[in-house]
Structure formats: structure tokens, C-alpha cells
Amino acid sequence: MHVAVSMPRSRKRYLVQNGGNADIEVARSRGNYVYDARGRKYIDFIMGWCVGNFGWARPALRRRVHAFNGPDYVYPEYTYKPWRELAQLLIGLAPEGLSRCCRATGGSEAVELALQAAMLHTGRRKFVAIEDAYHGNTLGALSVGDGDDAVRVVSVARLKPPLDADALDRLETRLKHRDVAAVIMEPIAMNLGVLIPETEFMDGLVPLCHRYGTLLVLDEVATGFGRTGKLFATEYYDVQPDMMTIAKAATGGAAGIGALLVREDLAETLEQDGNVYSTFGWHPLSVDVAIANVRWIKRNQSRLLRQVDRTSSYFVERLRAMAFAEEPELRWRGLAIAVDVRDEKYAKRVAKKCRARGLLLDPQESVLLLLPALNVDRATAKDGLDILEAST
Ligand SMILES: Cc1ncc(COP(=O)(O)O)c(C=O)c1O
């Protein structure tokens, strides 16, 4: 996720970049910390935006990268045992009904595959997405996200939050035309400042979609692997998506990967009529790291999620006691925490002060987004929150 802002000219040489943090020249990262080239140490409450969910440079993953002795590359039309192992692992953790995996390099490609599958399977070309959402930077993903109209390549109707019973009625009005291939959304919208759909909305979503021949894609690229206090945010609801996208925290950042998990009939559609060829989708090194990481998460799941719960309560208790310029609105699930301070300029000022004092967090419009490592220790959490408190 990024916000378009200008940055100093010298930083723009050679590279094209969005965002306002290009003056942080990263030298290394360890655990909960990022170190810049001048040796400054920052507590990281962004964690690469839901990538380093269990801290940076985890020794087990580092060892795995260094010891990797598999093939440099596997041609996508061959088969490769670790591909099947990873697919089986992911399917085993995913919501019921998703039985096959498409390989992808990252979240945007996974989203593209979902859009492709939906169009091929339904023969329809329209989508419904949540207003101002973000699903990646490829043209299809931008089209269902908050991309500029100039780059929109598929037709999208936008559903305005709050996501409640009324939104379900508005959605039905749109789906009745029977021309919508899929509804795509994050089960908890990280990109909308931890927007939490009401249970009534989510419970009604699948029956409504299926009544009108529309598929449901849940995008777990940011929420996946424990961020919201469940392994997948979908688990907060009684909902079985037709497709689910994952990426970011699957490797903890040590390599790049993405995946689309689909129902059997959608897998068959893609195999018959679609194109799932991806030159670097599930590169052998990435797959090796992902298998190690996801196996570790699976083995330690209950302990890790209990810790997320405890740490989340500590964050919320501290944040409630802080004196912001105005009473903020707090929205959170697990360690996806949004502090809506109701003023964009103020949010930016607070984030800037935090940074000067050694804490990285993400200002998104009027929201300060806190995404610490899920296993952050209490002392580091306290240090970070003390900095935030001193910066309000
Ligand atoms: C919900 C969501 N979907 C998709 C993407 C795109 O993922 P990637 O940047 O790996 O292409 C992002 C990235 O921030 C995201 O937050």
C-alpha cells in the first residue's frame, strides 16, 4: 500500500517510487528494528506493511535461504514436488472448499488470476469492489481498487461503507442485473484503515452472490497469516469464499511469493481456458522459504495467536489512555490497529515526530496505522507506544 506524495529530487534519481519515506536509507533489519545507513535504529510498527509478521531476519528463515540447494529455476510447465507440498500446506489452512492453488509472484498477480478466473467462469466482465479499496498495482487490480479512471480496464461498481445490512441491500440491487463476475474485498479492509464489515453483511454475502451467479473473492494478501488475530481474517465470519488471495507474510519477507486459492471447478476453468503461466511464480527459493515459514506458523499457531490477543489488548489499553488532539476512533482486530485521529495533517505530523524519535508507523489519511510484529515483546511494544504518546 502506498500514498502518492512528493519526495526530495536527489532521492528520485534513477528509481521511480511512491511514498514519503525515501529518506530512510535501510541498511539492515533485525527482529522489531530497522537500521538506517547512518546507524539509526527504528522500532518498526509497519513491518513492511504486513510482510514481516514475525520479525525481520528470523534465523530459521535466514538459514534456509543460505542452505538452499534446490534447482535455480523450474520451468512452469514442469512439475516440482515442493510446489505440491506448499499448495497442500496452504489448502490445509484455508477455508473449506478451496482445493487448488495458482502460483504467483505476489499479491497483484494473485488478484489478476482471480479476476481472470471469475471472468472466464461466469462469462461476465463486471466487478463489485469496496469504494477506495486497494488490491495491487496491475491494471486489473488497480481497476477494482482506487486506481485513476485513466487506467481502469474492467468495469467496477463501488460499494460504499459501512458494510452493514443496508450495504447488502445496495449490493443486491447491483447483482440483480446478473452481469457481475465477482465481488472482491478484504475480509477486514486493511487498506481502508481497518474497516471491519458487520457480521450481518458477511453472513449474507455468499448466499446473495450465489443467488445471482456472482463469485466472491476474499483478498487476504495483507490480513493473512495472523495479522488480525486469526490465521486468516475470513475466520471471523461464517463465509466460504470461492477464491482467496495470499502473499506478503507467506515468506516473512525473505523471498517473494503470491498465491490464488480456488475451488475445484474454477481450477478446471483456468486450466482449460485461462493462462496461469508465471515465469517467476513460486520460484524454488521462495517456495522453500514459504514452506518453512508456513509450517512454523502452523505448528505454533495457537501460541502465536494467543500472544497476538494479549499484545493487542495492551496496545488498545495504551492507545485509549493517550491524549490525541481530538478523541480518536480506534478500530482493530489483533495487531491490525487503526487510530483515526480525524485530521490528515495532524496524523502526518504525529508520524513525523515518531520517526524523529525512532518509531516507524504508517499515516493513511487521518489514520495512524500500527502494524507491529505479531510476536513483539512487551518491552519493545512499550518503547514504541511511549514514543507515540510523547508525539501526540
Ligand atoms: C489487500 C492487498 N491486495 C493486494 C496487494 C498487492 O500485493 P503486491 O504488492 O504483492 O502485488 C496489496 C498490497 O499492498 C494489498 O494490500
Side-chain angles (χ1 to χ4, degrees):
M1 176 61 183
H2 68 262
V3 183
V5 288
S6 61
M7 66 178 86
R9 271 184 84 85
S10 59
R11 308 280 170 181
K12 284 193 163 185
R13 276 186 103 179
Y14 309 119
L15 276 177
V16 179
Q17 222 175 325
N18 292 123
N21 289 307
D23 49 339
I24 296 184
E25 177 94 44
V26 177
R28 64 192 185 98
S29 51
R30 291 277 183 286
N32 292 290
Y33 300 99
V34 165
Y35 300 80
D36 75 11
R38 286 174 299 175
R40 268 213 81 181
K41 178 178 172 184
Y42 297 90
I43 297 174
D44 193 352
F45 279 3
I46 300 179
M47 295 312 287
W49 228 86
C50 307
V51 172
N53 275 9
F54 298 100
W56 300 121
R58 280 190 16 236
L61 295 187
R62 282 278 158 130
R63 277 197 301 277
R64 196 88 181 197
V65 171
H66 291 131
F68 182 67
N69 194 26
D72 275 354
Y73 179 71
V74 179
Y75 177 52
E77 289 187 10
Y78 296 159
T79 188
Y80 180 53
K81 194 166 167 234
W83 284 346
R84 293 197 300 280
E85 276 173 25
L86 179 58
Q88 188 180 5
L89 194 55
L90 295 174
I91 293 297
L93 296 173
E96 234 182 276
L98 303 178
S99 59
R100 289 226 262 155
C101 263
C102 298
R103 298 173 295 115
T105 49
S108 301
E109 193 182 335
V111 167
E112 289 296 320
L113 287 163
L115 303 183
Q116 185 192 161
M119 290 166 91
L120 289 170
H121 200 73
T122 62
R124 302 173 179 179
R125 307 184 57 82
K126 293 187 176 161
F127 291 88
V128 172
I130 311 304
E131 192 170 272
D132 293 329
Y134 182 77
H135 294 287
N137 72 354
T138 46
L139 291 184
L142 278 175
S143 302
V144 294
D146 62 352
D148 193 291
D149 276 345
V151 296
R152 207 165 297 289
V153 292
V154 291
S155 161
V156 180
R158 316 204 158 273
L159 192 62
K160 200 176 165 59
L163 301 178
D164 52 11
D166 178 62
L168 210 55
D169 289 343
R170 285 182 278 126
L171 180 61
E172 179 158 24
T173 308
R174 187 64 201 77
L175 296 188
K176 268 182 179 164
H177 301 285
R178 292 185 179 273
D179 59 356
V180 175
V183 172
I184 179 165
M185 62 180 289
E186 293 184 271
I188 287 172
M190 304 292 295
N191 287 283
L192 293 167
V194 191
L195 173 80
I196 303 167
E198 289 189 10
T199 309
E200 207 175 342
F201 175 84
M202 291 304 275
D203 285 355
L205 193 53
V206 171
L208 187 67
C209 285
H210 288 183
R211 189 176 313 147
Y212 298 107
T214 297
L215 299 165
L216 175 65
V217 182
L218 290 182
D219 183 349
E220 291 259 13
V221 165
T223 47
F225 302 104
R227 173 53 57 192
T228 65
K230 304 268 187 201
L231 194 58
F232 295 108
T234 303
E235 294 166 30
Y236 276 107
Y237 306 99
D238 182 18
V239 60
Q240 279 184 11
D242 302 298
M243 293 185 259
M244 188 170 112
T245 51
I246 54 178
K248 292 189 187 272
T251 58
I257 209 160
L260 172 69
L261 280 57
V262 293
R263 272 182 357 209
E264 186 61 33
D265 53 343
L266 287 155
E268 283 165 17
T269 299
L270 279 168
E271 280 174 343
Q272 275 160 30
D273 305 320
N275 189 333
V276 293
Y277 186 100
S278 173
T279 296
F280 285 115
W282 287 27
H283 183 277
L285 177 60
S286 301
V287 170
D288 197 56
V289 174
I291 289 175
N293 188 41
V294 178
R295 272 199 190 133
W296 177 80
I297 294 173
K298 184 181 167 186
R299 259 198 326 273
N300 295 285
Q301 186 173 339
S302 4
R303 175 179 66 80
L304 293 170
L305 295 181
R306 269 201 310 276
Q307 187 180 355
V308 173
D309 246 17
R310 280 197 303 273
T311 312
S312 173
S313 304
Y314 174 66
F315 267 74
V316 169
E317 189 188 308
R318 287 287 312 268
L319 289 164
R320 279 195 175 131
M322 286 183 198
F324 292 92
E326 253 190 78
E327 184 70 28
E329 183 185 332
L330 278 181
R331 297 185 292 272
W332 78 94
R333 282 284 181 274
L335 286 170
I337 303 175
V339 187
D340 190 341
V341 294
R342 303 169 197 281
D343 176 348
E344 188 168 345
K345 283 194 184 135
Y346 175 69
K348 279 210 172 74
R349 266 204 316 277
V350 171
K352 200 169 162 194
K353 279 194 210 164
C354 285
R355 217 176 70 180
R357 292 174 163 130
L359 169 69
L360 302 174
L361 47 80
D362 185 29
Q364 275 192 354
E365 296 178 357
S366 64
V367 167
L368 292 166
L369 197 58
L370 276 62
L371 305 166
L374 304 184
N375 53 355
V376 61
D377 58 279
R378 189 54 63 92
T380 312
K382 179 181 180 309
D383 288 350
L385 288 163
D386 287 350
I387 293 176
L388 175 57
E389 187 157 38
S391 308
T392 59

